[in-house]
Amino acid sequence: MLEVSLYPEHFYVFGVNVGQSVFISWCVMAVLLITITLLYFLVVRRMKPVPKGAQNFVELVVDGVHRWSEGKVGHAADFVAPVTMTLMVYVFFNTVIELFGLPPATEDINCTFAMGLCTFVTVNVTGLKFRGGIRGRIRGLCNPSPIVMPIRIITDLIAPCSIAIRLFANIMVGGIIMQLIYAVEPIILPAVVASYFNVLHVGIQTFVLGLLTLVYVSEAIE
């Protein structure tokens, strides 16, 4: 029977209910931290003028995200690109783990709302930093006229909810469709469809999250 719930699954650690999505996120972050540490000692500290192998991959990813961010937020890319990449990596790996039979953490709206809050903090901190403090941020909200300031404030406050609901709904719908396909044709069709929902679809949602973060930052510093 197909069931959909907005409440997180219970998961107990030493008798404390931390929630299934939180525990999964911890595990994913632990694996990512170990991987990043290995990359730092095995690749970053041994970088050569002519890149090859793993160094090529690392430079391609980092430089690609930085150039993409620079095209959206200009001179603020050095500050924003690392945060954007971190959010994208977190969302991608906490969703793609469904390929290994684990429930994605992003199926919990609490997780996606936390991503929205991270974007909200990034946008406002960047706005304060590159607009010259509170006065500059207020002037930015009044652009092109003070009349639009209430609308701009409401838009900024709605942004975390918008990101959270968009990401949660897309991931949840993908999971629902997969469950329906398993119920109708459990042998061949799921493997074909899963290649889209568990890889391409996840990549699209990760890209959209990064794009929205950069767009909101661009509006804050314009």
Side-chain angles (χ1 to χ4, degrees):
M1 181 178 179
L2 182 63
E3 294 183 1
V4 177
S5 176
L6 295 178
Y7 296 99
E9 294 287 337
H10 295 293
F11 192 93
Y12 292 88
V13 177
F14 302 114
V16 179
N17 179 24
V18 298
Q20 180 177 265
S21 61
V22 173
F23 180 76
I24 290 173
S25 297
W26 287 348
C27 294
V28 171
M29 286 189 293
V31 173
L32 287 175
L33 286 173
I34 293 172
T35 304
I36 291 171
T37 302
L38 291 175
L39 283 174
Y40 174 74
F41 285 105
L42 298 179
V43 179
V44 176
R45 293 189 64 179
R46 301 180 181 181
M47 279 190 169
K48 300 177 181 178
V50 180
K52 61 180 180 178
Q55 182 179 339
N56 263 327
F57 175 75
V58 172
E59 289 189 7
L60 179 66
V61 173
V62 174
D63 187 59
V65 173
H66 186 274
R67 287 178 181 272
W68 181 43
S69 301
E70 196 172 31
K72 301 295 181 182
V73 300
H75 61 285
D78 290 345
F79 183 75
V80 177
V83 181
T84 303
M85 185 173 178
T86 300
L87 294 175
M88 293 174 68
V89 168
Y90 179 90
V91 169
F92 180 82
F93 284 101
N94 270 289
T95 308
V96 81
I97 56 172
E98 192 172 13
L99 281 173
F100 304 97
L102 298 172
T106 46
E107 278 190 347
D108 182 0
I109 196 170
N110 297 286
C111 176
T112 59
F113 188 69
M115 295 295 97
L117 286 178
C118 288
T119 298
F120 177 78
V121 171
T122 301
V123 169
N124 285 280
V125 169
T126 308
L128 291 170
K129 179 179 175 64
F130 290 91
R131 291 285 300 183
I134 296 177
R135 282 189 176 183
R137 181 74 172 118
I138 293 175
R139 284 198 298 269
L141 292 172
C142 293
N143 183 38
S145 169
I147 298 176
V148 303
M149 184 177 178
I151 299 175
R152 295 287 298 272
I153 292 175
I154 293 173
T155 302
D156 282 358
L157 293 176
I158 290 176
C161 298
S162 172
I163 291 174
I165 294 172
R166 177 183 284 108
L167 180 59
F168 169 73
N170 280 293
I171 300 301
M172 183 183 69
V173 168
I176 292 173
I177 292 175
M178 285 304 303
Q179 290 186 47
L180 291 173
I181 292 173
Y182 274 115
V184 175
E185 175 56 55
I187 300 176
I188 299 176
L189 190 58
V192 178
V193 180
S195 63
Y196 169 75
F197 282 108
N198 292 340
V199 180
L200 181 60
H201 180 65
V202 173
I204 292 172
Q205 298 309 316
T206 302
F207 172 79
V208 170
L209 174 69
L211 179 62
L212 288 175
T213 301
L214 294 176
V215 168
Y216 287 138
V217 169
S218 175
E219 292 177 353
I221 66 175
E222 66 181 4

PDB file of all heavy atoms in Angstrom, residues 155-185:
ATOM      1  N   THR A 155       9.320  38.681  -0.436  1.00  0.00           N
ATOM      2  CA  THR A 155       9.953  37.738  -1.359  1.00  0.00           C
ATOM      3  C   THR A 155      11.130  37.040  -0.705  1.00  0.00           C
ATOM      4  O   THR A 155      11.307  35.821  -0.842  1.00  0.00           O
ATOM      5  CB  THR A 155      10.430  38.471  -2.628  1.00  0.00           C
ATOM      6  OG1 THR A 155       9.317  39.108  -3.250  1.00  0.00           O
ATOM      7  CG2 THR A 155      11.056  37.503  -3.608  1.00  0.00           C
ATOM      8  N   ASP A 156      11.960  37.800   0.021  1.00  0.00           N
ATOM      9  CA  ASP A 156      13.110  37.210   0.711  1.00  0.00           C
ATOM     10  C   ASP A 156      12.675  36.233   1.796  1.00  0.00           C
ATOM     11  O   ASP A 156      13.300  35.183   1.996  1.00  0.00           O
ATOM     12  CB  ASP A 156      13.980  38.308   1.330  1.00  0.00           C
ATOM     13  CG  ASP A 156      14.866  38.993   0.294  1.00  0.00           C
ATOM     14  OD1 ASP A 156      14.824  38.576  -0.876  1.00  0.00           O
ATOM     15  OD2 ASP A 156      15.581  39.940   0.658  1.00  0.00           O
ATOM     16  N   LEU A 157      11.598  36.567   2.512  1.00  0.00           N
ATOM     17  CA  LEU A 157      11.128  35.700   3.595  1.00  0.00           C
ATOM     18  C   LEU A 157      10.470  34.434   3.068  1.00  0.00           C
ATOM     19  O   LEU A 157      10.512  33.389   3.727  1.00  0.00           O
ATOM     20  CB  LEU A 157      10.133  36.473   4.480  1.00  0.00           C
ATOM     21  CG  LEU A 157      10.725  37.639   5.285  1.00  0.00           C
ATOM     22  CD1 LEU A 157       9.623  38.380   6.030  1.00  0.00           C
ATOM     23  CD2 LEU A 157      11.784  37.142   6.263  1.00  0.00           C
ATOM     24  N   ILE A 158       9.872  34.530   1.885  1.00  0.00           N
ATOM     25  CA  ILE A 158       9.214  33.363   1.298  1.00  0.00           C
ATOM     26  C   ILE A 158      10.228  32.409   0.660  1.00  0.00           C
ATOM     27  O   ILE A 158       9.966  31.211   0.536  1.00  0.00           O
ATOM     28  CB  ILE A 158       8.170  33.817   0.252  1.00  0.00           C
ATOM     29  CG1 ILE A 158       6.992  34.480   0.949  1.00  0.00           C
ATOM     30  CG2 ILE A 158       7.681  32.653  -0.605  1.00  0.00           C
ATOM     31  CD1 ILE A 158       5.957  35.053   0.008  1.00  0.00           C
ATOM     32  N   ALA A 159      11.392  32.926   0.283  1.00  0.00           N
ATOM     33  CA  ALA A 159      12.387  32.134  -0.444  1.00  0.00           C
ATOM     34  C   ALA A 159      12.721  30.793   0.216  1.00  0.00           C
ATOM     35  O   ALA A 159      12.751  29.761  -0.471  1.00  0.00           O
ATOM     36  CB  ALA A 159      13.657  32.958  -0.651  1.00  0.00           C
ATOM     37  N   PRO A 160      12.984  30.733   1.552  1.00  0.00           N
ATOM     38  CA  PRO A 160      13.284  29.426   2.158  1.00  0.00           C
ATOM     39  C   PRO A 160      12.153  28.419   1.989  1.00  0.00           C
ATOM     40  O   PRO A 160      12.397  27.244   1.709  1.00  0.00           O
ATOM     41  CB  PRO A 160      13.507  29.769   3.641  1.00  0.00           C
ATOM     42  CG  PRO A 160      13.844  31.210   3.660  1.00  0.00           C
ATOM     43  CD  PRO A 160      13.084  31.824   2.539  1.00  0.00           C
ATOM     44  N   CYS A 161      10.907  28.889   2.156  1.00  0.00           N
ATOM     45  CA  CYS A 161       9.753  27.990   1.997  1.00  0.00           C
ATOM     46  C   CYS A 161       9.620  27.537   0.553  1.00  0.00           C
ATOM     47  O   CYS A 161       9.318  26.374   0.274  1.00  0.00           O
ATOM     48  CB  CYS A 161       8.476  28.692   2.445  1.00  0.00           C
ATOM     49  SG  CYS A 161       8.466  29.173   4.174  1.00  0.00           S
ATOM     50  N   SER A 162       9.867  28.455  -0.379  1.00  0.00           N
ATOM     51  CA  SER A 162       9.778  28.122  -1.795  1.00  0.00           C
ATOM     52  C   SER A 162      10.786  27.050  -2.174  1.00  0.00           C
ATOM     53  O   SER A 162      10.449  26.062  -2.842  1.00  0.00           O
ATOM     54  CB  SER A 162      10.006  29.385  -2.638  1.00  0.00           C
ATOM     55  OG  SER A 162      10.096  29.075  -4.002  1.00  0.00           O
ATOM     56  N   ILE A 163      12.028  27.226  -1.737  1.00  0.00           N
ATOM     57  CA  ILE A 163      13.075  26.243  -2.039  1.00  0.00           C
ATOM     58  C   ILE A 163      12.762  24.908  -1.379  1.00  0.00           C
ATOM     59  O   ILE A 163      12.901  23.844  -1.999  1.00  0.00           O
ATOM     60  CB  ILE A 163      14.442  26.775  -1.571  1.00  0.00           C
ATOM     61  CG1 ILE A 163      14.866  27.956  -2.446  1.00  0.00           C
ATOM     62  CG2 ILE A 163      15.502  25.681  -1.612  1.00  0.00           C
ATOM     63  CD1 ILE A 163      16.131  28.641  -1.995  1.00  0.00           C
ATOM     64  N   ALA A 164      12.317  24.961  -0.125  1.00  0.00           N
ATOM     65  CA  ALA A 164      12.028  23.733   0.620  1.00  0.00           C
ATOM     66  C   ALA A 164      10.917  22.930  -0.043  1.00  0.00           C
ATOM     67  O   ALA A 164      11.038  21.719  -0.255  1.00  0.00           O
ATOM     68  CB  ALA A 164      11.649  24.067   2.059  1.00  0.00           C
ATOM     69  N   ILE A 165       9.819  23.593  -0.367  1.00  0.00           N
ATOM     70  CA  ILE A 165       8.669  22.891  -0.947  1.00  0.00           C
ATOM     71  C   ILE A 165       8.992  22.381  -2.341  1.00  0.00           C
ATOM     72  O   ILE A 165       8.621  21.265  -2.709  1.00  0.00           O
ATOM     73  CB  ILE A 165       7.442  23.826  -0.975  1.00  0.00           C
ATOM     74  CG1 ILE A 165       7.010  24.145   0.460  1.00  0.00           C
ATOM     75  CG2 ILE A 165       6.290  23.185  -1.742  1.00  0.00           C
ATOM     76  CD1 ILE A 165       5.930  25.203   0.558  1.00  0.00           C
ATOM     77  N   ARG A 166       9.715  23.189  -3.143  1.00  0.00           N
ATOM     78  CA  ARG A 166      10.062  22.766  -4.504  1.00  0.00           C
ATOM     79  C   ARG A 166      10.917  21.504  -4.470  1.00  0.00           C
ATOM     80  O   ARG A 166      10.639  20.526  -5.170  1.00  0.00           O
ATOM     81  CB  ARG A 166      10.797  23.893  -5.225  1.00  0.00           C
ATOM     82  CG  ARG A 166      11.253  23.513  -6.629  1.00  0.00           C
ATOM     83  CD  ARG A 166      12.053  24.620  -7.288  1.00  0.00           C
ATOM     84  NE  ARG A 166      11.185  25.690  -7.752  1.00  0.00           N
ATOM     85  CZ  ARG A 166      11.101  26.870  -7.194  1.00  0.00           C
ATOM     86  NH1 ARG A 166      11.826  27.137  -6.109  1.00  0.00           N
ATOM     87  NH2 ARG A 166      10.305  27.800  -7.671  1.00  0.00           N
ATOM     88  N   LEU A 167      11.972  21.514  -3.661  1.00  0.00           N
ATOM     89  CA  LEU A 167      12.878  20.369  -3.591  1.00  0.00           C
ATOM     90  C   LEU A 167      12.172  19.149  -3.009  1.00  0.00           C
ATOM     91  O   LEU A 167      12.264  18.040  -3.555  1.00  0.00           O
ATOM     92  CB  LEU A 167      14.100  20.729  -2.744  1.00  0.00           C
ATOM     93  CG  LEU A 167      15.155  19.633  -2.563  1.00  0.00           C
ATOM     94  CD1 LEU A 167      15.703  19.187  -3.906  1.00  0.00           C
ATOM     95  CD2 LEU A 167      16.294  20.131  -1.673  1.00  0.00           C
ATOM     96  N   PHE A 168      11.443  19.349  -1.904  1.00  0.00           N
ATOM     97  CA  PHE A 168      10.737  18.241  -1.260  1.00  0.00           C
ATOM     98  C   PHE A 168       9.707  17.620  -2.196  1.00  0.00           C
ATOM     99  O   PHE A 168       9.628  16.395  -2.331  1.00  0.00           O
ATOM    100  CB  PHE A 168      10.055  18.747   0.019  1.00  0.00           C
ATOM    101  CG  PHE A 168       9.085  17.769   0.617  1.00  0.00           C
ATOM    102  CD1 PHE A 168       9.532  16.632   1.266  1.00  0.00           C
ATOM    103  CD2 PHE A 168       7.718  17.984   0.525  1.00  0.00           C
ATOM    104  CE1 PHE A 168       8.636  15.729   1.831  1.00  0.00           C
ATOM    105  CE2 PHE A 168       6.815  17.096   1.076  1.00  0.00           C
ATOM    106  CZ  PHE A 168       7.277  15.965   1.724  1.00  0.00           C
ATOM    107  N   ALA A 169       8.920  18.457  -2.871  1.00  0.00           N
ATOM    108  CA  ALA A 169       7.858  17.951  -3.741  1.00  0.00           C
ATOM    109  C   ALA A 169       8.436  17.173  -4.917  1.00  0.00           C
ATOM    110  O   ALA A 169       7.922  16.101  -5.272  1.00  0.00           O
ATOM    111  CB  ALA A 169       6.999  19.108  -4.237  1.00  0.00           C
ATOM    112  N   ASN A 170       9.510  17.686  -5.517  1.00  0.00           N
ATOM    113  CA  ASN A 170      10.099  16.995  -6.662  1.00  0.00           C
ATOM    114  C   ASN A 170      10.678  15.643  -6.283  1.00  0.00           C
ATOM    115  O   ASN A 170      10.497  14.653  -6.997  1.00  0.00           O
ATOM    116  CB  ASN A 170      11.181  17.872  -7.303  1.00  0.00           C
ATOM    117  CG  ASN A 170      10.600  18.937  -8.204  1.00  0.00           C
ATOM    118  OD1 ASN A 170      10.034  18.648  -9.250  1.00  0.00           O
ATOM    119  ND2 ASN A 170      10.727  20.176  -7.807  1.00  0.00           N
ATOM    120  N   ILE A 171      11.385  15.586  -5.142  1.00  0.00           N
ATOM    121  CA  ILE A 171      11.959  14.317  -4.701  1.00  0.00           C
ATOM    122  C   ILE A 171      10.851  13.346  -4.302  1.00  0.00           C
ATOM    123  O   ILE A 171      10.894  12.153  -4.628  1.00  0.00           O
ATOM    124  CB  ILE A 171      12.928  14.546  -3.519  1.00  0.00           C
ATOM    125  CG1 ILE A 171      14.075  15.471  -3.937  1.00  0.00           C
ATOM    126  CG2 ILE A 171      13.469  13.213  -3.023  1.00  0.00           C
ATOM    127  CD1 ILE A 171      14.902  14.963  -5.090  1.00  0.00           C
ATOM    128  N   MET A 172       9.834  13.849  -3.606  1.00  0.00           N
ATOM    129  CA  MET A 172       8.739  12.991  -3.159  1.00  0.00           C
ATOM    130  C   MET A 172       7.965  12.421  -4.344  1.00  0.00           C
ATOM    131  O   MET A 172       7.624  11.232  -4.372  1.00  0.00           O
ATOM    132  CB  MET A 172       7.796  13.766  -2.249  1.00  0.00           C
ATOM    133  CG  MET A 172       6.662  12.913  -1.683  1.00  0.00           C
ATOM    134  SD  MET A 172       5.508  13.873  -0.673  1.00  0.00           S
ATOM    135  CE  MET A 172       4.739  14.894  -1.949  1.00  0.00           C
ATOM    136  N   VAL A 173       7.696  13.271  -5.342  1.00  0.00           N
ATOM    137  CA  VAL A 173       6.964  12.802  -6.521  1.00  0.00           C
ATOM    138  C   VAL A 173       7.752  11.718  -7.246  1.00  0.00           C
ATOM    139  O   VAL A 173       7.179  10.723  -7.711  1.00  0.00           O
ATOM    140  CB  VAL A 173       6.669  13.989  -7.470  1.00  0.00           C
ATOM    141  CG1 VAL A 173       6.192  13.490  -8.818  1.00  0.00           C
ATOM    142  CG2 VAL A 173       5.613  14.892  -6.848  1.00  0.00           C
ATOM    143  N   GLY A 174       9.077  11.894  -7.342  1.00  0.00           N
ATOM    144  CA  GLY A 174       9.898  10.864  -7.955  1.00  0.00           C
ATOM    145  C   GLY A 174       9.782   9.545  -7.218  1.00  0.00           C
ATOM    146  O   GLY A 174       9.670   8.474  -7.827  1.00  0.00           O
ATOM    147  N   GLY A 175       9.790   9.598  -5.875  1.00  0.00           N
ATOM    148  CA  GLY A 175       9.643   8.382  -5.077  1.00  0.00           C
ATOM    149  C   GLY A 175       8.278   7.737  -5.256  1.00  0.00           C
ATOM    150  O   GLY A 175       8.160   6.500  -5.331  1.00  0.00           O
ATOM    151  N   ILE A 176       7.231   8.541  -5.331  1.00  0.00           N
ATOM    152  CA  ILE A 176       5.877   8.018  -5.515  1.00  0.00           C
ATOM    153  C   ILE A 176       5.748   7.316  -6.868  1.00  0.00           C
ATOM    154  O   ILE A 176       5.182   6.221  -6.973  1.00  0.00           O
ATOM    155  CB  ILE A 176       4.840   9.156  -5.399  1.00  0.00           C
ATOM    156  CG1 ILE A 176       4.788   9.678  -3.967  1.00  0.00           C
ATOM    157  CG2 ILE A 176       3.455   8.682  -5.841  1.00  0.00           C
ATOM    158  CD1 ILE A 176       3.922  10.899  -3.787  1.00  0.00           C
ATOM    159  N   ILE A 177       6.292   7.954  -7.916  1.00  0.00           N
ATOM    160  CA  ILE A 177       6.224   7.352  -9.251  1.00  0.00           C
ATOM    161  C   ILE A 177       6.961   6.016  -9.282  1.00  0.00           C
ATOM    162  O   ILE A 177       6.476   5.035  -9.864  1.00  0.00           O
ATOM    163  CB  ILE A 177       6.804   8.321 -10.298  1.00  0.00           C
ATOM    164  CG1 ILE A 177       5.884   9.541 -10.442  1.00  0.00           C
ATOM    165  CG2 ILE A 177       6.975   7.626 -11.644  1.00  0.00           C
ATOM    166  CD1 ILE A 177       6.412  10.611 -11.361  1.00  0.00           C
ATOM    167  N   MET A 178       8.115   5.950  -8.620  1.00  0.00           N
ATOM    168  CA  MET A 178       8.864   4.695  -8.578  1.00  0.00           C
ATOM    169  C   MET A 178       8.072   3.614  -7.853  1.00  0.00           C
ATOM    170  O   MET A 178       8.054   2.453  -8.281  1.00  0.00           O
ATOM    171  CB  MET A 178      10.219   4.911  -7.891  1.00  0.00           C
ATOM    172  CG  MET A 178      11.244   5.644  -8.736  1.00  0.00           C
ATOM    173  SD  MET A 178      11.581   4.860 -10.322  1.00  0.00           S
ATOM    174  CE  MET A 178      12.101   3.225  -9.806  1.00  0.00           C
ATOM    175  N   GLN A 179       7.398   3.960  -6.761  1.00  0.00           N
ATOM    176  CA  GLN A 179       6.588   2.979  -6.042  1.00  0.00           C
ATOM    177  C   GLN A 179       5.432   2.483  -6.898  1.00  0.00           C
ATOM    178  O   GLN A 179       5.105   1.290  -6.892  1.00  0.00           O
ATOM    179  CB  GLN A 179       6.055   3.595  -4.750  1.00  0.00           C
ATOM    180  CG  GLN A 179       7.127   3.831  -3.692  1.00  0.00           C
ATOM    181  CD  GLN A 179       6.552   4.314  -2.381  1.00  0.00           C
ATOM    182  OE1 GLN A 179       5.575   3.762  -1.889  1.00  0.00           O
ATOM    183  NE2 GLN A 179       7.132   5.355  -1.825  1.00  0.00           N
ATOM    184  N   LEU A 180       4.811   3.375  -7.660  1.00  0.00           N
ATOM    185  CA  LEU A 180       3.715   2.979  -8.543  1.00  0.00           C
ATOM    186  C   LEU A 180       4.218   2.055  -9.647  1.00  0.00           C
ATOM    187  O   LEU A 180       3.541   1.073 -10.003  1.00  0.00           O
ATOM    188  CB  LEU A 180       3.067   4.227  -9.162  1.00  0.00           C
ATOM    189  CG  LEU A 180       2.285   5.126  -8.196  1.00  0.00           C
ATOM    190  CD1 LEU A 180       1.854   6.411  -8.897  1.00  0.00           C
ATOM    191  CD2 LEU A 180       1.070   4.397  -7.632  1.00  0.00           C
ATOM    192  N   ILE A 181       5.399   2.355 -10.181  1.00  0.00           N
ATOM    193  CA  ILE A 181       5.957   1.500 -11.234  1.00  0.00           C
ATOM    194  C   ILE A 181       6.294   0.123 -10.691  1.00  0.00           C
ATOM    195  O   ILE A 181       6.032  -0.898 -11.346  1.00  0.00           O
ATOM    196  CB  ILE A 181       7.197   2.177 -11.857  1.00  0.00           C
ATOM    197  CG1 ILE A 181       6.765   3.424 -12.640  1.00  0.00           C
ATOM    198  CG2 ILE A 181       7.954   1.216 -12.754  1.00  0.00           C
ATOM    199  CD1 ILE A 181       7.910   4.245 -13.157  1.00  0.00           C
ATOM    200  N   TYR A 182       6.865   0.068  -9.484  1.00  0.00           N
ATOM    201  CA  TYR A 182       7.154  -1.222  -8.866  1.00  0.00           C
ATOM    202  C   TYR A 182       5.879  -2.042  -8.668  1.00  0.00           C
ATOM    203  O   TYR A 182       5.884  -3.266  -8.794  1.00  0.00           O
ATOM    204  CB  TYR A 182       7.848  -1.021  -7.517  1.00  0.00           C
ATOM    205  CG  TYR A 182       9.344  -0.882  -7.616  1.00  0.00           C
ATOM    206  CD1 TYR A 182       9.983   0.302  -7.260  1.00  0.00           C
ATOM    207  CD2 TYR A 182      10.136  -1.948  -8.051  1.00  0.00           C
ATOM    208  CE1 TYR A 182      11.359   0.439  -7.342  1.00  0.00           C
ATOM    209  CE2 TYR A 182      11.506  -1.821  -8.134  1.00  0.00           C
ATOM    210  CZ  TYR A 182      12.121  -0.628  -7.781  1.00  0.00           C
ATOM    211  OH  TYR A 182      13.488  -0.507  -7.879  1.00  0.00           O
ATOM    212  N   ALA A 183       4.788  -1.356  -8.346  1.00  0.00           N
ATOM    213  CA  ALA A 183       3.526  -2.061  -8.119  1.00  0.00           C
ATOM    214  C   ALA A 183       2.942  -2.607  -9.420  1.00  0.00           C
ATOM    215  O   ALA A 183       2.299  -3.665  -9.423  1.00  0.00           O
ATOM    216  CB  ALA A 183       2.522  -1.117  -7.459  1.00  0.00           C
ATOM    217  N   VAL A 184       3.180  -1.914 -10.540  1.00  0.00           N
ATOM    218  CA  VAL A 184       2.605  -2.337 -11.826  1.00  0.00           C
ATOM    219  C   VAL A 184       3.517  -3.315 -12.556  1.00  0.00           C
ATOM    220  O   VAL A 184       3.078  -4.361 -13.037  1.00  0.00           O
ATOM    221  CB  VAL A 184       2.333  -1.099 -12.716  1.00  0.00           C
ATOM    222  CG1 VAL A 184       1.859  -1.528 -14.106  1.00  0.00           C
ATOM    223  CG2 VAL A 184       1.311  -0.197 -12.068  1.00  0.00           C
ATOM    224  N   GLU A 185       4.801  -2.968 -12.651  1.00  0.00           N
ATOM    225  CA  GLU A 185       5.759  -3.798 -13.399  1.00  0.00           C
ATOM    226  C   GLU A 185       7.068  -3.869 -12.616  1.00  0.00           C
ATOM    227  O   GLU A 185       7.953  -3.017 -12.769  1.00  0.00           O
ATOM    228  CB  GLU A 185       6.004  -3.196 -14.785  1.00  0.00           C
ATOM    229  CG  GLU A 185       7.061  -3.908 -15.604  1.00  0.00           C
ATOM    230  CD  GLU A 185       6.775  -5.375 -15.796  1.00  0.00           C
ATOM    231  OE1 GLU A 185       5.682  -5.721 -16.288  1.00  0.00           O
ATOM    232  OE2 GLU A 185       7.648  -6.182 -15.433  1.00  0.00           O
TER     233      GLU A 185
END
